[in-house]
Amino acid sequence: AQKVTQAQTEISVVEKEDVTLDCVYETRDTTYYLFWYKQPPSGELVFLIRRNSFDEQNEISGRYSWNFQKSTSSFNFTITASQVVDSAVYFCALSDFQTGANNLFFGTGTRLTVIP
Amino acid sequence: DTGVSQDPRHKITKRGQNVTFRCDPISEHNRLYWYRQTLGQGPEFLTYFQNEAQLEKSRLLSDRFSAERPKGSFSTLEIQRTEQGDSAMYLCASSLRGDSGANVLTFGAGSRLTVL
């Protein structure tokens, strides 16, 4: 069965600090996709990144970076030099390769608060 | 295109009443999804359509729930004989099926249902 665990329920940081959001997943599939979505106070989930299980390269996009480690089943997300606008709930999600994102399994989310 | 639109944004109803939510996806997207999100949880998959065909339904979708996408464009989600446990945010998303099989979902802002 698919499962995503985000053990950090809430994190608070002071602006400009770096913060890492943890994501651990479980799947019996050998090929799968991992996602991160951001849910700001407005409620609309915003796509951040998609990674397939074949590609273990880390990725950087501006202040965001992602560390995918298949050996530990983790897909962690780091925000560098956090800003107040980063305050949101962040969800990690998993889907199997065959059905793509027809059925995304989401974690329970991590609420990030960036204090000015 | 302004993204995925959902209507109404908020609905308060009494237990036992029927409610209907509408979703207008991004026009060129052929896949449409419904998810449910309760407080403090991640979204949970309910069902998805490819064009007008409903291809997958979660076990979460009881007999009181019905979704349609009659012309492969907008979709409706109806809940009959609402129960207090139906109180949640109902999220709609759409995507374009890609060759890779891994769809990036674009979510709407959701329809929040409160059952009294």
Side-chain angles (χ1 to χ4, degrees):
Chain A
Q2 320 275 31
K3 184 179 179 183
V4 175
T5 301
Q6 294 181 257
Q8 303 152 308
T9 306
E10 295 191 28
I11 299 177
S12 291
V13 297
V14 176
E15 201 171 19
K16 297 185 183 176
E17 286 184 345
D18 299 347
V19 59
T20 295
L21 310 181
D22 298 333
C23 173
V24 174
Y25 61 91
E26 295 176 31
T27 179
R28 294 180 195 164
D29 297 322
T30 55
T31 53
Y32 47 88
Y33 288 89
L34 294 162
F35 299 77
W36 275 95
Y37 278 85
K38 173 183 180 180
Q39 189 173 40
S42 61
E44 196 165 325
L45 283 156
V46 176
F47 167 77
L48 296 177
I49 189 171
R50 174 188 63 195
R51 174 55 50 87
N52 74 52
S53 53
F54 296 126
D55 182 3
E56 290 193 66
Q57 281 191 351
N58 292 329
E59 184 159 337
I60 298 174
S61 176
R63 296 184 298 106
Y64 295 170
S65 63
W66 291 269
N67 183 312
F68 177 30
Q69 292 198 340
K70 216 168 175 178
S71 60
T72 56
S73 298
S74 66
F75 187 43
N76 296 337
F77 172 31
T78 297
I79 301 174
T80 303
S82 59
Q83 300 176 1
V84 173
V85 293
D86 296 327
S87 296
V89 181
Y90 291 86
F91 291 96
C92 181
L94 167 72
S95 77
D96 64 74
F97 185 78
Q98 293 302 320
T99 60
N102 300 342
N103 190 351
L104 273 175
F105 293 89
F106 283 85
T108 51
T110 297
R111 180 178 298 278
L112 173 65
T113 302
V114 181
I115 303 165
Chain B
D1 200 331
T2 56
V4 178
S5 298
Q6 292 190 244
D7 183 70
R9 293 292 311 278
H10 302 276
K11 178 73 177 177
I12 300 173
T13 191
K14 292 182 179 178
R15 188 173 48 143
Q17 298 294 305
N18 299 344
V19 297
T20 299
F21 301 114
R22 176 182 169 121
C23 172
D24 288 89
I26 292 173
S27 55
E28 61 266 29
H29 284 182
N30 54 3
R31 285 185 168 178
L32 186 147
Y33 310 77
W34 285 98
Y35 281 77
R36 181 172 70 186
Q37 184 177 19
T38 54
L39 202 60
Q41 300 297 314
E44 296 173 295
F45 171 79
L46 292 178
T47 188
Y48 101 97
F49 293 82
Q50 181 155 306
N51 300 313
E52 66 275 9
Q54 188 173 18
L55 297 185
E56 190 173 345
K57 290 195 290 187
S58 162
R59 282 173 290 181
L60 291 175
L61 212 65
S62 78
D63 292 343
R64 296 183 297 104
F65 287 68
S66 63
E68 295 182 344
R69 194 183 183 197
K71 296 183 180 179
S73 56
F74 73 92
S75 174
T76 58
L77 176 68
E78 181 183 17
I79 308 174
Q80 296 182 325
R81 304 181 304 282
T82 53
E83 301 173 356
Q84 289 184 326
D86 297 332
S87 295
M89 177 77 85
Y90 290 86
L91 297 168
C92 178
S94 67
S95 74
L96 189 62
R97 188 187 187 285
D99 292 337
S100 68
N103 309 148
V104 173
L105 274 61
T106 301
F107 282 86
S111 292
R112 182 170 296 283
L113 173 65
T114 302
V115 181
L116 301 176

